[in-house]
C-alpha cells in the first residue's frame, strides 16, 4: 500500500514538474515574441554598436569641452561666449575658431569633423522619426541596469544627471544637424548641385551654425544644472 502511494506521489510530482517546465518555456517564448514584436527600427538602431560608438565619441567631446569650460575664469567665459557668437558669421568664423581652439586648448573643429563623419556613417539609410528615436533611447536607458559598489552623495548624483542630460541633448543636436544636412542634399537635384554648389554650401553652413547654437545651449544648460546641484546641497 505504501509502495502504491509512493508511486502515485512520484507520478503526480513528475506531472507537475513537466507542466511547470512547459509553462515556463511557453511564457518565456511568449515574452520573447512580444519583445521582438515591440522592437522598432529605432530600437535596433540605438542598440547597435555603431550608435554606441557615436555616443562614446560625443561623450568624450562633451567631457573635454566641459573640463575646459569649468576651468575658465569669468573673463575667459565671457570671451568664450563672444567667440561662439562670431562662429555664426561667415566673415568671422575662421578667426573665431582659431581663437576658440587656443582658449579651449584643443582643436574643437577637428573633434566635430570626426563626429560629423560618424554621424553621417551611422545615420545613413535610417528611416524613423525624431520622436521614435527619443522613445527608443528612453527604452534603452530604462533597460540598462547599473550596479554600483559604492555610495554616491546626492550632489554627485545630481551632477552625473546633469552630464547625462547634456550628453542626450548633444546627441539631439547631432541628429538634428544630420537631418538638416540630409534635407539640403535631397532638396537639390544632381544638376542643381553642379550648377549652384554655393547654394548647397550655404544650406550646410546654416545647419552647422544651428548645431553650434544647439551645442552652446547644451553647455549653458549643463552649467546651470550643476550650479543648482550645488545650491541644493548647501
Amino acid at each position: 500500500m505504501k509502495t502504491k502511494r509512493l508511486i502515485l506521489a512520484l507520478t503526480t510530482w513528475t506531472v507537475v514538474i513537466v507542466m511547470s517546465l512547459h509553462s515556463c518555456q511557453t511564457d518565456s517564448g511568449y515574452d520573447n515574441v512580444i519583445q521582438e514584436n515591440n522592437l522598432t527600427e529605432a530600437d535596433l538602431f540605438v542598440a547597435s554598436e555603431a550608435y554606441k560608438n557615436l555616443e562614446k565619441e560625443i561623450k568624450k567631446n562633451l567631457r573635454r569641452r566641459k573640463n575646459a569650460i569649468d576651468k575658465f575664469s569669468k573673463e575667459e567665459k565671457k570671451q568664450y561666449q563672444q567667440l561662439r557668437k562670431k562662429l555664426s558669421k561667415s566673415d568671422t568664423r575662421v578667426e573665431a575658431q582659431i581663437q576658440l581652439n587656443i582658449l579651449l586648448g584643443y582643436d574643437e573643429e577637428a573633434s566635430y569633423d570626426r563626429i560629423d563623419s560618424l554621424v553621417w556613417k551611422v545615420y545613413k539609410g535610417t528611416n524613423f522619426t525624431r520622436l521614435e528615436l527619443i522613445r527608443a533611447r528612453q527604452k534603452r536607458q530604462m533597460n540598462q541596469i547599473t550596479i554600483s559598489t559604492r555610495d554616491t552623495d546626492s550632489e554627485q548624483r545630481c551632477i552625473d544627471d546633469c552630464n547625462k542630460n547634456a550628453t542626450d541633448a548633444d546627441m539631439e543636436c547631432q541628429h538634428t544637424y544630420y537631418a538638416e544636412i540630409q534635407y539640403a542634399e535631397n532638396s537639390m537635384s544632381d544638376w542643381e548641385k553642379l550648377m549652384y554648389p554655393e547654394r548647397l554650401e550655404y544650406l550646410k553652413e546654416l545647419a552647422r551654425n544651428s548645431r553650434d547654437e544647439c551645442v552652446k545651449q547644451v553647455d549653458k544648460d549643463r552649467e546651470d544644472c550643476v550650479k543648482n546641484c550645488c545650491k541644493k546641497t548647501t
Side-chain angles (χ1 to χ4, degrees):
M1 191 69 178
K2 289 183 178 179
T3 304
K4 289 184 178 179
R5 288 180 180 176
L6 180 59
I7 293 174
L8 180 61
L10 288 174
T11 303
T12 303
W13 276 110
T14 301
V15 173
V16 171
I17 291 171
V18 170
M19 290 179 65
S20 297
L21 288 173
H22 178 70
S23 176
C24 289
Q25 290 172 354
T26 304
D27 290 344
S28 178
Y30 180 74
D31 290 341
N32 288 335
V33 169
I34 290 297
Q35 288 176 1
E36 288 176 5
N37 288 341
N38 284 342
L39 285 178
T40 65
E41 186 176 339
D43 292 324
L44 295 173
F45 175 71
V46 299
S48 69
E49 193 66 27
Y51 179 84
K52 291 175 185 176
N53 288 336
L54 171 61
E55 194 174 43
K56 287 177 184 177
E57 191 65 34
I58 288 177
K59 283 181 180 179
K60 184 169 70 174
N61 187 57
L62 178 64
R63 186 165 56 249
R64 178 186 281 184
R65 189 170 67 249
K66 177 185 77 69
N67 290 340
I69 294 173
D70 287 348
K71 295 176 182 177
F72 284 170
S73 63
K74 287 184 178 180
E75 186 60 35
E76 286 174 328
K77 285 184 178 180
K78 184 178 179 180
Q79 184 184 357
Y80 175 78
Q81 296 299 332
Q82 291 173 342
L83 289 172
R84 279 292 180 192
K85 290 180 180 178
K86 290 182 179 180
L87 280 178
S88 60
K89 300 177 182 178
S90 57
D91 57 331
T92 57
R93 182 180 179 85
V94 175
E95 182 60 29
Q97 189 63 64
I98 293 173
Q99 295 300 320
L100 192 61
N101 290 343
I102 294 174
L103 185 63
L104 290 170
Y106 70 93
D107 191 341
E108 186 186 48
E109 194 67 16
S111 296
Y112 276 126
D113 286 344
R114 187 163 54 252
I115 291 174
D116 287 351
S117 178
L118 278 174
V119 166
W120 192 259
K121 185 186 299 183
V122 172
Y123 277 93
K124 189 174 182 180
T126 56
N127 183 30
F128 44 75
T129 65
R130 178 175 175 271
L131 180 59
E132 288 173 328
L133 179 62
I134 293 173
R135 286 174 176 171
R137 192 181 294 141
Q138 289 173 341
K139 280 193 282 186
R140 176 187 164 215
Q141 290 170 353
M142 288 175 64
N143 289 330
Q144 287 175 332
I145 301 175
T146 304
I147 301 175
S148 178
T149 57
R150 62 182 178 82
D151 292 328
T152 306
D153 60 73
S154 58
E155 181 181 354
Q156 187 58 50
R157 282 198 302 270
C158 181
I159 293 174
D160 290 343
D161 286 341
C162 293
N163 292 332
K164 179 183 174 303
N165 291 338
T167 300
D168 290 343
D170 206 310
M171 289 288 284
E172 281 296 309
C173 293
Q174 303 304 328
H175 175 251
T176 301
Y177 168 69
Y178 166 79
E180 290 177 352
I181 291 292
Q182 191 176 48
Y183 175 78
E185 292 275 359
N186 294 337
S187 65
M188 297 178 64
S189 65
D190 292 338
W191 180 83
E192 288 176 317
K193 292 174 186 176
L194 182 64
M195 295 300 296
Y196 308 106
E198 68 281 356
R199 180 187 171 192
L200 179 60
E201 185 53 39
Y202 172 71
L203 292 174
K204 288 183 176 180
E205 185 176 353
L206 287 179
R208 284 193 294 268
N209 291 342
S210 179
R211 181 202 60 189
D212 289 346
E213 286 298 313
C214 183
V215 170
K216 183 172 71 174
Q217 188 62 45
V218 169
D219 286 337
K220 183 179 182 305
D221 291 344
R222 185 202 65 81
E223 189 175 350
D224 291 342
C225 182
V226 171
K227 286 180 180 177
N228 289 331
C229 289
C230 298
K231 288 179 181 178
K232 290 176 182 177
T233 56
T234 55

